[in-house]
Amino acid sequence: MADVVTAGEILTFWLEEVGEKGWYQGSDTLDQTIRDRFRATWDRAGDLAEAWADTPRGALAALILTDQFPRNMFRDDPRAFATDALARAIATRAIAAGFDRQIDAPQRQFFYMPFEHSEDLADQHRCVALFAAHMPGENLRHAELHRDTIARFGRFPWRNAALGREPGPAENQVMQAGGYAALVSGKLSLDDLA
């Protein structure tokens, strides 16, 4: 396992090496690379992220570490969500300080994603408002879809297996259709569910 890395190393990796085209193209190779290079840093996220979060770029690195990396490192595992509360706390402070507006799109989205990943409807409404105000476009569409899913189910059906939750019939319908991808593609609509 690699040593603890700096905020700058996280930004270089995520923003330059992986880049926008790779952010949401999960692969076993990328997941393993993140585990190998950043697991030791994530293990110390509570201390490091707090220390980094007092500048716009430091906060961005802290958010990538606490909100994005665990989803790769621990795909289909409850640990994928273990630092979500920390990520929301960092995002809340960073947004209050105006750090999000000091970071250009598309990187700005990582200040809002902790709210999109929340299973709390108030966080979802906040996410939609943030994207609408500061980064409208495709990200807003995804934020609205996440909010509508939480409004419909109170949770994300695609997390049920990882969290050992028993799905309801409509959640099963979503997952059998292809999960979130089915909602994004329009193959399935939340309005069509029983």
Side-chain angles (χ1 to χ4, degrees), residues 3 20 40 51 57-58 61 80 90 92 96 115 122 126 130 132 138 141 155 192:
D3 293 330
E20 184 177 4
R57 288 183 59 79
I90 293 165
T92 296
F115 304 108
R126 182 173 191 193
L130 287 164
E138 186 64 17
R141 179 174 167 261
R155 61 190 189 175
D192 297 335

Side-chain angles (χ1 to χ4, degrees), residues 126-149:
R126 182 173 191 193
C127 180
V128 168
L130 287 164
F131 274 118
H134 304 297
M135 204 176 158
E138 186 64 17
N139 291 97
L140 176 59
R141 179 174 167 261
H142 286 281
E144 291 170 339
L145 191 51
H146 280 77
R147 179 207 53 208
D148 294 348
T149 301

Side-chain angles (χ1 to χ4, degrees), residues 22-59:
W23 291 340
Y24 304 108
Q25 304 296 320
S27 72
D28 292 339
T29 301
L30 177 61
D31 292 353
Q32 189 61 51
T33 299
I34 292 173
R35 276 191 296 276
D36 291 345
R37 290 175 62 178
F38 302 103
R39 172 66 192 271
T41 307
W42 181 83
D43 285 340
R44 297 200 44 222
D47 298 326
L48 295 171
E50 293 292 329
W52 295 345
D54 60 355
T55 67
R57 288 183 59 79

